Amino acid sequence: LRLTFPIRDMYIDAVDNAEHTISLTNAYFVPDAVLLNALKSAAQRGVDVRILVPWNSNHFVVDWLARRYFTQCLKAGIRIFGYHTMLHAKTCTIDGQWSTIGTANLDRLSSLGNYEINAEVYSKELAQEMEAIFKSDTTGAFELTLDVWSSRPWYAKFGEDILAPLGVVL
């Protein structure tokens, strides 16, 4: 059962209908279970899902919360890119024809408490421009692999576990 969060539901519907590519950039990637499962399902059905996040944003707690999703994403076949500096974009392009640009992060605060707005645009021209920007941004980023991620220090894993309960707040 989905609650009524229009921007979140827009993302989920678009991801559920993706056939080829999803290029997602978000400053604070702390998705709820439904959105996370939609992204994982898309990757498992053969969609090339790529997520670009800042490696060190302006909220270190959110960074740690986001990182607790990386193992699940990587195991599902989602490609994760870390941008070396703060990246505040909130965009997504799907299948070269659908795009969203706006203020909404993929976290609980944006769904529940913040006043957010995203534009949903069906335009091949805009989608191609957005994909070119995503490609340029990922060129300046590093790709996280499951092997590298799995070998992170024990204290990093411990920190993620300790902060996990904050995910329901943020």
Side-chain angles (χ1 to χ4, degrees), residues 46-125:
V47 176
D48 180 7
V49 181
R50 298 176 185 210
I51 298 173
L52 176 63
V53 295
W55 195 248
N56 293 301
S57 76
N58 56 344
H59 292 289
F60 74 92
V61 172
V62 176
D63 295 342
W64 282 71
L65 289 172
R67 292 173 186 166
R68 72 186 176 115
Y69 298 102
F70 291 174
T71 300
Q72 293 179 64
C73 289
L74 292 167
K75 284 184 176 179
I78 295 171
R79 295 176 67 186
I80 298 174
F81 296 84
Y83 204 75
H84 294 286
T85 61
M86 181 57 193
L87 176 71
H88 222 284
K90 291 107 173 159
T91 64
C92 184
T93 301
I94 295 179
D95 291 341
Q97 26 189 340
W98 178 94
S99 300
T100 185
I101 304 165
T103 65
N105 291 299
L106 296 178
D107 63 5
R108 191 169 183 80
L109 285 177
S110 289
S111 290
L112 293 175
N114 294 342
Y115 294 105
E116 306 286 3
I117 188 166
N118 272 49
E120 180 178 26
V121 182
Y122 293 88
S123 164
K124 289 181 182 179
E125 293 80 16

Side-chain angles (χ1 to χ4, degrees), residues 18-38:
E19 295 178 357
H20 306 289
T21 60
I22 298 172
S23 301
L24 175 81
T25 302
N26 208 265
Y28 310 128
F29 181 72
V30 187
D32 65 22
V34 178
L35 179 55
L36 180 64
N37 286 334

